[in-house]
Every structure is written in C-alpha cells, then in structure tokens.
Amino acid sequence: MKLGIIRERKSPPDKRVVFSPDALLQLKAQYPQIEIKVESSDVRIFKDEAYIKAGFEVTENLDDCDVLLGVKEVPAEALIPGKKYFFFSHTIKKQPYNQKLLQAVIDKDITLYDHETLVDADGRRIVGFGRYAGIVGAYNAMRTFGYKYDLFTLPAAGTQPDREALINRLKKITLPPLKIVLTGKGKVGMGAKEILKAMKLKEVSPENFLSKQYTEPVFVQIDVLDYNKRIDGVVAEGNDDFFNNTSKYESDFEKFTQTADIFIAGHFYADGSPAILTKQMLKSPKNKIKLVADISCDIAGPVASTLRASTIAEPFYGYHPDTGEEVDVHHPAAIAVMAVDNLPCELPKDASEGFGEMFLENVIPAFFNGDKDGILKRGMITANGQLTERFKYLDGFVTERVL
C-alpha cells in the first residue's frame, strides 16, 4: 500500500493535514509495509522540511500512490483517476455547490471515502475536528462578547499557536456575572466545555441555572431532553426517544432564553429535529440572550439568528430581533452572532495532530485486518464508477447534469 498526503487546494487556504510528520512516523512504525509520499505544499501548517527531516519523500507527483488523504474537497480537475480518496466531500446532503465534484468522482472511477461517513457499527463518527471547533468556538464567543460591549480585546484565534495560548489569553480577561448556556454533549460541546472549565467558570445544574442568581459567571451544559419536550406531554425516559421520534417533540429552550446571556450552540442537528432558538423567542421582551455563538452553524436551521456563516476574517455580525435581519453588531438592539463554519482552521496544528491520532487508531487498521469492523465499507460513497448501496439516494444528484 502506497499512501499519499495531498496538498490542500481549496480557497481560502486550509493549513490542516490528516497526518503530521510525527503521526506519519507512528504510522510507519506500526505498519512498516506502508510506503508514504507527501505532496509539496506552501500552505500546510507543517512545512515540507519537517516531513523531509522525518524521512518522508516530498514530491509534486502522487500518481503512483494507491490511497490519497486530504482534509477539504479536492477540485475536480485535480482528481487523479482510479485512486482511493479520503476527504470531506460535502456531498452527502446533496450540497449543490459540490454536485460537479461528485459527478467527477464517478466519471474518474474514484473510490471516495468521506471523513464524515467513517462511522462505527452504531453510526458514531470515528474521526473529525469537532473538539477543535468547540475549543475555538468557545474562545470566539468570549472574543465576540468583548468586542460587542467594548469590555476587552482578544486576538483572532488563528494568530495564536495552540490551545494553551488561547486559554492563557482567556485567563487574563474579566467577565461580569454572565449566564452561559451550552448545547451538546458530543465532541463539539465537550470541546467548548474544555475552554469554559479552563477559564475556571463555575458549572451549574439546569435547575439552578434557571432558578438562581449568581455573582460570578456560570455555565450550564444541556442535552436534547433539557431543551426539547414531547408535544403530547409524555416524559421521555432517555435520549433515544427523542432521536427515534423527533417529530413528536418541540423546543423547550425558551426557559433558557429568559435566563441566559450567552448561547453557545454545540449540538448536533438532524433533518426533522425541531428548531431550538426561534425568531419568536428572540423577539420576545423576556429574551435575555445577548450573544449567540453558533458553532454548529446550520444555515436556515435550528438557530434563527444564524442568517449566514461568518468568516474567520469577519467573524461577527448582528441580528435584529424585531426585524429578523442582519445589522451591524454594535447596533443597540443587535444580538451579536458568531457563526464561523470552519473554526478548526484557526487551530491547524492542534487540530491536525488530534485528527491524525484518531485516523491512525480508528481507520488505518481496517486496511490490514480485512475491514473486519466494516469501517471502510460503511464509509465508501463510490466504487467502480458508481454509488455504493448506502449512498444510492444520491443517484439523481449524480445523474442530473449541470452546466
């Protein structure tokens, strides 16, 4: 097996990579039969020289590699026919902007694995950047608050070398006695919680968050049954009832909008799930939320104030609760919004190292154990010039030719 680490070609440039030089050394130590080549890149967070120093060939040509690993989408014209590719394709939800990419994958007889479709037998993702989205998202929430109210200034996360540098910056700020509500207990939510805990913020229970006043900043981390309720009034015994019967639920988040100052959204949102934060909640005179940091960033999704994705260069905008429209973040009536959709890009070194650890542990073994756990089979979107059975629902998306 010959493995190629590809250059990221998407714009704006992404500095992340699947494997750092150290991770490749670990890979080679565990599987010495693997041959590894690295495509030269002047963007990657780890320089070509670091890979060369570690003993790996850096080249402009990966035509002889069997498996090619990247992070973001590969432009259609750069795809090498007949290869096996791993990258975030952003096609499995029929994203129109990548329709031509998926068609090119089929036309070029490429076997495509999407990092997002690499799941265990229970459907849980086994690789991803979620933790680092949460870490940067929570940092950006604090940065947005300081900017909105002219209380303090934090540098952009991307200008800092690593997670520890972000934490050191946050430890130097002073917050008023805010109440922060964090949704989600997956990798994103737990990443955000890491930062809040590192800031020494006090974590409280949902009951105390809703009923008590504090003289210090506090936060609560809530799960789906804390902010959703069954329409029929039945009390669910566990989260599975929600995931299996989302149409029977409605949002119960308004009690938090009437109590919280900041909402950090780190939840997973599935099609058919009820909206969480609605226009009506934000427009209500009882609403107290002043800032929404939407790490999940589902446009036209469960958080009404997320009108669009913001960017690393311009991460903030304002939402006017009366009109439902975007305004300047400093507008007196504006709810501040941070909705950057590529947060891990701001922490490329840490994010790459963490991703490589997961990929080495959870995916690479499948190439050498006959895929005994079905990791590759479940994650394979295309093979032999056609969609695999699991992704046949994309057939019309592929056959519909676009100009």
Side-chain angles (χ1 to χ4, degrees):
M1 176 177 165
K2 185 173 284 190
L3 199 65
I5 306 299
I6 63 177
R7 174 194 307 142
E8 296 298 318
R9 290 173 164 84
K10 191 173 181 182
S11 184
D14 194 315
K15 296 182 179 182
R16 292 174 295 172
V17 65
V18 174
F19 282 124
S20 67
D22 285 347
L24 284 184
L25 286 172
Q26 293 178 45
L27 171 61
K28 188 69 175 174
Q30 291 183 38
Y31 303 95
Q33 63 270 51
I34 289 183
E35 293 183 56
I36 300 169
K37 297 175 75 172
V38 179
E39 189 174 14
S40 179
S41 170
D42 58 1
V43 170
R44 193 181 290 128
I45 188 65
F46 301 101
K47 303 303 181 186
D48 287 354
E49 292 74 20
Y51 288 96
I52 294 170
K53 186 176 179 180
F56 299 103
E57 179 184 351
V58 174
T59 178
E60 292 287 347
N61 191 326
L62 299 179
D63 286 353
D64 60 339
C65 291
D66 309 303
V67 179
L68 301 171
L69 304 182
V71 177
K72 287 288 190 72
E73 302 99 309
V74 177
E77 64 274 12
L79 291 168
I80 304 173
K83 301 297 183 183
K84 294 178 180 177
Y85 275 91
F86 286 76
F87 56 82
F88 286 107
S89 70
H90 299 116
T91 58
I92 61 174
K93 295 179 182 178
K94 300 183 180 180
Q95 290 95 321
Y97 53 89
N98 281 331
Q99 186 176 22
K100 288 185 177 180
L101 171 60
L102 188 56
Q103 290 168 344
V105 165
I106 295 284
D107 291 344
K108 294 188 176 187
D109 193 19
I110 284 167
T111 300
L112 174 62
Y113 302 86
D114 192 308
H115 297 308
E116 194 173 351
T117 65
L118 296 170
V119 297
D120 64 18
D122 295 318
R124 293 185 294 257
R125 288 178 59 182
I126 56 175
V127 295
F129 290 100
R131 177 192 171 203
Y132 299 94
I135 287 170
V136 178
Y139 176 88
N140 277 1
M142 299 303 123
R143 184 177 178 228
T144 306
F145 186 81
Y147 180 77
K148 163 72 173 173
Y149 294 102
D150 296 319
L151 291 176
F152 50 80
T153 300
L154 287 170
T159 66
Q160 304 302 295
D162 53 27
R163 170 184 174 277
E164 293 307 313
L166 299 186
I167 291 170
N168 289 335
R169 289 282 185 173
L170 290 170
K171 285 181 176 178
K172 295 176 182 177
I173 67 173
T174 301
L175 293 175
L178 298 169
K179 282 187 168 183
I180 302 167
V181 58
L182 166 64
T183 52
K185 293 193 174 182
K187 290 183 174 63
V188 174
M190 298 310 290
K193 183 177 180 177
E194 270 187 56
I195 292 299
L196 300 180
K197 296 291 280 187
M199 293 175 67
K200 307 299 183 184
L201 299 190
K202 181 178 181 179
E203 183 177 9
V204 300
S205 68
E207 295 75 21
N208 287 344
F209 186 90
L210 294 171
S211 63
K212 292 187 175 183
Q213 297 299 316
Y214 295 90
T215 57
E216 61 183 313
V218 300
F219 79 95
V220 63
Q221 184 181 28
I222 57 177
D223 211 346
V224 289
L225 293 185
D226 295 312
Y227 58 89
N228 291 291
K229 62 183 178 181
R230 280 186 64 121
I231 297 169
D232 58 13
V234 173
V235 178
E237 294 184 0
N239 288 353
D240 285 348
D241 185 68
F242 172 79
F243 293 124
N244 295 330
N245 303 285
T246 52
S247 63
K248 295 182 180 179
Y249 281 79
E250 63 184 357
S251 176
D252 192 27
F253 190 69
E254 190 160 25
K255 58 193 177 187
F256 291 99
T257 69
Q258 297 173 4
T259 312
D261 301 289
I262 295 176
F263 171 30
I264 301 178
H267 53 263
F268 170 76
Y269 179 71
D271 290 342
S273 297
I276 299 170
L277 179 62
T278 66
K279 290 182 179 179
Q280 290 74 26
M281 292 178 194
L282 290 168
K283 193 174 182 179
S284 169
K286 294 183 178 180
N287 173 54
K288 290 188 176 181
I289 290 179
K290 305 172 182 67
L291 186 160
V292 177
D294 191 355
I295 303 171
S296 298
C297 196
D298 293 295
I299 310 303
V303 179
S305 54
T306 304
L307 302 176
R308 62 174 176 86
S310 53
T311 64
I312 290 173
E314 297 183 4
F316 327 119
Y317 60 87
Y319 173 88
H320 198 301
D322 291 337
T323 65
E325 297 177 345
E326 181 176 337
V327 292
D328 184 86
V329 71
H330 283 117
H331 188 290
I335 295 169
V337 176
M338 190 290 301
V340 177
D341 63 356
N342 57 343
L343 289 163
C345 295
E346 295 201 71
L347 213 60
K349 181 178 182 293
D350 287 12
S352 297
E353 289 172 344
F355 191 90
E357 289 175 10
M358 289 183 282
F359 203 92
L360 178 55
E361 179 181 353
N362 299 319
V363 182
I364 291 294
F367 285 101
F368 298 95
N369 64 18
D371 193 28
K372 66 182 181 66
D373 298 315
I375 299 296
L376 300 178
K377 182 179 180 182
R378 284 189 295 271
M380 187 188 299
I381 296 177
T382 64
N384 303 315
Q386 58 186 353
L387 294 163
T388 60
E389 193 62 35
R390 185 181 173 208
F391 296 96
K392 285 291 187 185
Y393 69 90
L394 294 170
D395 195 39
F397 184 64
V398 169
T399 56
E400 176 196 7
R401 291 291 155 173
V402 290
L403 298 177

